Amino acid sequence: MSKFVVTAANEAQRAAWLGGTLPEVEKVRPGLWSIPVPIPINPLRYVLVYALELPDGVAIVDAGWNTDEAYDALVAGLAVAGYAITDVRAVLVTHIHPDHYGLAGRVREVSGAWIALHPADARLLRDRYDDDYVETLVEQEKALLVRSGVPQTVLDTLAGASMMIRHMVTMARPDRLVEDGDRLDLRGWDLRAVWTPGHSPGHLCFLSESRRVLFSGDHVLAKITPMVAVHPQSTPNPLADYLEALVAVRKFEVDEVLPAHEYRFKELAERVDYVIGHHEDRLEEIAEVIGAHDGITCWDIATRLTWSRPWESIQPFMRRAANNETLAHLAWLEARGRVRRTPGEANLWHSMQS
């Protein structure tokens, strides 16, 4: 598939991403600001928090990790826009991953802002972030990895790989549950929630038809594709959910896409087409591996796929992500009758042609 390069809405922001630096706080257009909030020890480096001006303060889309560095950056960015953290009236969370949801509770404690989240993600909060329940989630992840054929020598390391980032979250129940199609009560804005599951079960985008912008969270990004994986809290076929949600947003007539990472860009439909094509290519690659290695585990498939770097140099957390992403593609192929699995301690995958 030929590479498609989107047009950056701001070349300086794109240059900062490519150069490994933090972009500037920026007035995107009247009443709308982009605030980069740093993410520690992460190749994404920052999340773009968007501040929407209201008659009595601001609403923000996403919040960042719960670290002092991130909080201070958010406070400083709001100050550039002329606001204090106490002026935040609402936190619209696109999804519950720590770099988006982590600071929401701390912002609410200081400002009294209400937090909005989709019900599908709200249902996952306790098991993911409550200390009394998280061990069960780790054991469920471990069982999934066993069924994937992960070697015993790395099983415990991979199963607990995400525990190191749990402290980046202030546990906060949402004040408002936002469903697909809901209109957000924000004076001066015509925001409509768009449910886009896949990256998380309750991922939300926010569309402003009058301003012709889409706040896309992690659903559609300028250069990379979000992780879509099978895991204990995912739906059974998250890739099918994700591809369907891509088709749903493709029809929106917007001048600009405002993602949570990298940089803002212009061509929504073309970028969606490219991402769909990327997953189609990956599905074919996986089908070819199974055709050449009948009765193979998910883990062994993952080790044979093309990644952005050699398998040997991929860190444990990302190896788990690679395995679970591969499993999501297998679930899609299985649902369409292209592959089948033989259940066992480790499931084995076969081509339907074999």
Side-chain angles (χ1 to χ4, degrees):
M1 181 175 61
S2 59
K3 185 72 173 177
F4 170 73
V5 179
V6 296
T7 304
N10 181 292
E11 187 55 40
Q13 192 180 60
R14 175 178 177 272
W17 169 257
L18 296 177
T21 61
L22 200 67
E24 298 290 330
V25 175
E26 178 191 354
K27 188 173 187 177
V28 177
R29 56 184 64 194
L32 175 59
W33 295 80
S34 170
I35 301 171
V37 174
I39 306 173
I41 322 172
N42 190 294
L44 289 174
R45 299 200 315 276
Y46 56 84
V47 61
L48 294 170
V49 173
Y50 296 100
L52 289 58
E53 294 185 0
L54 308 172
D56 61 342
V58 291
I60 59 174
V61 177
D62 287 329
W65 295 76
N66 182 29
T67 66
D68 289 340
E69 180 187 9
Y71 181 80
D72 291 346
L74 179 59
V75 169
L78 287 169
V80 172
Y83 296 93
I85 193 72
T86 52
D87 293 321
V88 178
R89 302 291 175 254
V91 185
L92 313 181
V93 182
T94 60
H95 61 295
I96 60 166
H97 294 166
D99 51 327
H100 301 259
Y101 163 79
L103 267 177
R106 189 169 174 182
V107 172
R108 182 173 64 186
E109 290 172 4
V110 174
S111 67
W114 50 267
I115 299 172
L117 194 64
H118 189 275
D121 270 13
R123 287 192 290 268
L124 308 180
L125 288 172
R126 186 197 71 175
D127 291 351
R128 181 175 290 230
Y129 295 125
D130 191 316
D131 290 339
D132 293 333
Y133 295 91
V134 71
E135 285 302 321
T136 299
L137 194 63
V138 173
E139 288 304 310
Q140 291 171 345
E141 179 66 42
K142 187 174 181 179
L144 181 149
L145 295 175
V146 168
R147 293 193 300 273
S148 297
V150 172
Q152 286 288 333
T153 53
V154 297
L155 189 59
D156 289 337
T157 299
L158 267 62
S162 61
M163 292 300 99
M164 61 182 179
I165 60 174
R166 288 185 63 253
H167 69 282
M168 304 293 188
V169 171
T170 296
M171 177 67 170
R173 297 288 181 184
D175 304 285
R176 304 186 186 186
L177 298 178
V178 178
E179 301 273 8
D180 183 46
D182 283 356
R183 301 282 177 173
L184 279 300
D185 182 21
L186 299 172
R187 288 177 59 193
W189 287 85
D190 63 330
L191 282 192
R192 174 163 63 90
V194 184
W195 182 36
T196 50
H199 182 55
S200 79
H203 191 288
L204 288 170
C205 295
F206 300 101
L207 173 69
S208 171
E209 293 171 315
S210 66
R211 302 184 192 225
R212 297 177 63 87
V213 297
L214 177 70
F215 299 91
S216 66
D218 283 1
H219 185 57
V220 188
L221 303 169
K223 287 182 64 68
I224 61 175
T225 56
M227 184 177 74
V228 178
V230 169
H231 55 81
Q233 291 191 318
S234 74
T235 59
N237 196 343
L239 182 59
D241 299 336
Y242 178 67
L243 294 174
E244 183 178 348
L246 280 177
V247 172
V249 302
R250 188 190 186 283
K251 66 179 183 291
F252 296 150
E253 296 181 359
V254 298
D255 297 328
E256 192 171 329
V257 181
L258 289 78
H261 302 290
E262 300 177 328
Y263 51 89
R264 305 191 319 278
F265 62 95
K266 295 183 179 294
E267 301 94 346
L268 174 61
E270 291 84 353
R271 179 60 182 163
V272 165
D273 289 344
Y274 180 84
V275 173
I276 291 173
H278 160 79
H279 284 287
E280 290 173 345
D281 288 350
R282 180 62 105 195
L283 289 163
E284 293 307 315
E285 184 182 10
I286 290 172
E288 289 175 7
V289 170
I290 296 172
H293 304 275
D294 188 60
I296 189 172
T297 66
C298 176
W299 177 262
D300 286 337
I301 294 170
T303 65
R304 288 171 165 82
L305 298 180
T306 305
W307 301 100
S308 60
R309 65 198 65 161
W311 183 261
E312 295 72 21
S313 65
I314 298 176
Q315 296 299 311
F317 177 77
M318 295 310 297
R319 286 191 182 188
R320 188 181 87 177
N323 177 82
N324 293 7
E325 281 196 16
T326 302
L327 192 55
H329 287 76
L330 287 168
W332 190 99
L333 289 167
E334 182 182 39
R336 280 151 183 80
R338 294 188 57 187
V339 302
R340 61 183 175 87
R341 76 175 91 187
T342 300
E345 182 179 6
N347 293 330
L348 303 180
W349 293 90
H350 312 268
S351 171
M352 291 300 286
Q353 275 70 51
S354 63

